[in-house]
Amino acid sequence: MMKLVSLTWLILITILSHTPGDKSSEESRWLSKLILVDEGLLRKSAHVVCFTVLMAFSLCGWGKWAGICVLAWSVIDEYSKPLVTGRHADVRDWLLNVAGCILGYGVWFFL
């Protein structure tokens, strides 16, 4: 079951992170107003949260080797963004993805 959950989460975050820039900004503005959080904070924390969840789900479903795959995906995900209109790769965003991976590993380890 966790394999399916982790694959579904991977697909979801990939779709969200590869949404064209103008639509992504519009969605972020709407959500930030709805939950009363600064848009910049929302966008940056999304990297950490998404990869924390992906790492924890993937490790639970696929085992330890999944961690390497999730870390590799964090690079692919970030550096494929220039292929999408209005998006760009950012080392700081990738580092936030890695921070999420580390947190997700911690969650999995202590479960």
Side-chain angles (χ1 to χ4, degrees):
M1 180 63 167
M2 287 307 291
K3 289 179 181 180
L4 179 60
V5 171
S6 65
L7 286 174
T8 302
W9 188 255
L10 173 68
I11 291 167
L12 176 67
I13 67 172
T14 301
I15 290 169
L16 290 173
S17 72
H18 288 79
T19 301
D22 57 344
K23 185 170 171 63
S24 175
S25 293
E26 180 182 316
E27 291 169 352
S28 293
R29 272 191 301 278
W30 174 82
L31 185 58
S32 68
K33 288 177 183 176
L34 179 70
I35 62 173
L36 304 174
V37 172
D38 176 71
E39 184 182 353
L41 177 62
L42 175 70
R43 292 180 73 89
K44 295 304 180 186
S45 61
H47 288 271
V48 177
V49 171
C50 287
F51 275 89
T52 297
V53 172
L54 180 60
M55 180 64 90
F57 284 173
S58 297
L59 289 168
C60 287
W62 301 91
K64 291 181 183 179
W65 69 271
I68 294 168
C69 294
V70 173
L71 281 169
W73 185 250
S74 74
V75 174
I76 294 166
D77 178 65
E78 193 59 39
Y79 287 98
S80 63
K81 284 185 184 175
L83 302 173
V84 179
T85 304
R87 300 300 294 257
H88 65 279
D90 187 340
V91 172
R92 292 169 295 190
D93 288 347
W94 173 70
L95 291 172
L96 291 169
N97 293 349
V98 170
C101 290
I102 293 166
L103 286 171
Y105 182 85
V107 167
W108 171 77
F109 184 81
F110 289 108
L111 283 178

